[in-house]
Amino acid sequence: MTLPDRPALQRVCICVPTYNEADNLEPIVVRIRAAVPGAHLLVLDDNSPDGTGAIADRLAAADPHVHVLHRRGKEGLGPAYLAGFAWARERGYDAVVEIDADGSHQPEQLPALLAAADHADVVIGSRWVPGGSVHNWPAHRRALSVGANTYARLALGIGVRDATAGFRVYRMSALEQMDLSEVASQGYCFQVDLTLRALDRGLTVVEIPIGFVEREVGTSKMDDSIVREAALKVGVWGFRRRSRALRERLGSGQRSSRWHHLEENRDT
């Protein structure tokens, strides 16, 4: 399917949330700056006790394309990204990117995600579409991710195969339609929340395949509370969506959303 062109992205802000990523931050900043030298990078540090914030300040002092937003403490992935989105909007950026600081999202794939935004409002770097992959994950992590995404897809009635993915591009015009002031999700449930908001507003969401690499340094921020939050909220959202759809079928009809899967071009 050919999608219509969107306005070219002139100013892009890459948001990198950090908490105790002192060993990972400088390498990932170097890789991001090399992959997309025209973009700006915003480190969102949650007052890391290991000195990550000081490293970020040093990198920002040496490079005008690197910025730092110091936050009061560890408040979760969702609030960190929302703060970054607000920072970027205030400064007139056309799009924001979500990327992890630990190297699991490969910065070298950023140009492909940004190119896909030429035809989309939201771009998701997906592990679970053809061409996507995960590396160095134990079987239980793979099963948890596949199971969570299958649950979200079935419970919410959406086509997105990697709704929990955290490697994304959002056009600012899309975020402005998504009522972000109402978002209260933490952890990886935040990604499902924003996916759902985009689809429910009829925005164009595309998935492109990425290779996800498990971190080599530091520890994952995933814990049982994040899993419980996602399971509970997705179940509630699914019930509400199905109830609303039933009412609309009985009344004025259903509202449709668009989702597209762009497969990897294996000739390139």
Side-chain angles (χ1 to χ4, degrees), residues 45-66:
D45 186 61
D46 277 7
N47 197 22
S48 300
D50 71 345
T52 300
I55 296 171
D57 285 336
R58 173 172 57 81
L59 296 172
D63 185 344
H65 279 238
V66 178

Side-chain angles (χ1 to χ4, degrees), residues 9-16 32 36 38-44 65-69 81 83-99 110 114 168-172 175:
L9 298 177
Q10 302 295 334
R11 303 189 70 222
V12 175
C13 179
I14 299 170
C15 296
V16 184
I32 291 171
V36 282
H40 284 233
L41 187 153
L42 175 65
V43 178
L44 303 155
H65 279 238
V66 178
H67 314 275
V68 187
L69 182 59
Y81 273 132
F85 297 168
W87 185 96
R89 182 183 182 186
E90 290 170 1
R91 289 158 179 80
Y93 287 91
D94 302 318
V96 294
V97 175
E98 296 181 357
I99 186 171
L110 276 169
L114 290 169
R168 301 183 172 215
V169 179
Y170 289 98
R171 284 184 171 271
M172 192 60 69
L175 291 175

Side-chain angles (χ1 to χ4, degrees), residues 180-228:
L180 296 183
S181 63
E182 298 180 1
V183 174
S185 305
Q186 308 287 322
Y188 293 95
C189 189
F190 174 78
Q191 309 295 4
V192 182
D193 193 343
L194 264 63
T195 300
L196 197 57
R197 288 172 184 271
L199 292 172
D200 281 350
R201 285 151 182 81
L203 299 174
T204 299
V205 178
V206 303
E207 294 185 272
I208 67 168
I210 62 161
F212 180 95
V213 181
E214 176 67 343
R215 69 158 64 229
E216 295 182 356
V217 179
T219 58
S220 172
K221 307 303 188 295
M222 174 72 74
D223 60 29
D224 290 345
S225 66
I226 292 174
V227 176
R228 288 195 298 271

